[in-house]
Amino acid sequence: MNKTLILIFIFSQLLSFGQEKKITETSEEKKPITVTESAPIFHGCDEIDQSNSVNCFKQKMAEHVIKNMRYPTVAKQKKIQGRILVTFLINYEGVVENIVAKSPEDCKDCEILEKEAIRIISLLPKFKPGMQKGKPVKVKYTQPITFKL
């Protein structure tokens, strides 16, 4: 079962658009910009060149989700499955905030999975913040988390 979860998660990462679609906000202007000079960095990805940092981020995110996922008992009992999209900000200090989870409209009782997805993302460690023009910026991410029995 763990191998299936890992494969599904890795596959969903390949389809994920969250890393390529960065929306940031400068601390002075508060206007969204489309590209950061330096994206937030997971600890452990600090020494990797920028061209490989996105892959390192995805790998560390996948490891975090797998390590911290606890499939809710009620969801198992009701056989609830689904792909939850979690949106969050990595703020100026590298802290995760504003976590929002959405499930497909046709997913009955997926609120249970949404709560677990929020819990998983809330456990993310502090990041090295994204930078724009030498200043830290907020960066928005979308991370899919697939729950499959």
Side-chain angles (χ1 to χ4, degrees):
M1 183 171 123
N2 274 345
K3 288 181 182 179
T4 304
L5 277 174
I6 292 169
L7 289 173
I8 289 169
F9 185 78
I10 291 171
F11 180 71
S12 71
Q13 290 299 305
L14 294 173
L15 299 176
S16 173
F17 55 87
Q19 299 301 315
E20 281 71 32
K21 198 171 190 178
K22 297 178 192 131
I23 300 174
T24 62
E25 174 179 277
T26 65
S27 57
E28 296 173 7
E29 301 168 1
K30 304 287 185 206
K31 289 196 276 184
I33 56 176
T34 56
V35 179
T36 57
E37 292 169 0
S38 172
I41 299 172
F42 244 108
H43 291 287
C45 297
D46 314 68
E47 301 301 319
I48 295 173
D49 62 77
Q50 198 166 3
S51 62
N52 291 320
S53 65
V54 170
N55 289 333
C56 184
F57 187 100
K58 287 180 180 182
Q59 180 181 352
K60 294 281 189 182
M61 183 65 76
E63 290 170 3
H64 173 81
V65 170
I66 291 165
K67 176 184 171 190
N68 291 288
M69 182 183 281
R70 287 188 248 139
Y71 210 108
T73 304
V74 174
K76 280 183 186 178
Q77 292 169 347
K78 292 184 173 185
K79 298 184 180 3
I80 302 169
Q81 303 181 92
R83 184 171 190 238
I84 308 299
L85 289 179
V86 186
T87 304
F88 59 96
L89 291 176
I90 298 175
N91 72 15
Y92 307 115
E93 292 147 2
V95 176
V96 172
E97 62 183 21
N98 298 350
I99 306 168
V100 177
K102 283 191 168 188
S103 55
E105 289 181 20
D106 63 343
C107 185
K108 185 179 180 205
D109 294 328
C110 272
E111 300 83 28
I112 298 166
L113 302 181
E114 289 174 1
K115 286 179 185 176
E116 175 61 8
I118 290 170
R119 187 192 67 79
I120 292 167
I121 296 301
S122 71
L123 295 173
L124 281 167
K126 189 173 181 178
F127 292 83
K128 181 177 175 187
M131 302 293 281
Q132 184 72 22
K133 297 180 183 176
K135 295 182 181 179
V137 292
K138 289 183 180 183
V139 181
K140 184 176 182 178
Y141 281 94
T142 299
Q143 178 65 44
I145 299 179
T146 302
F147 292 86
K148 180 117 175 117
L149 292 172

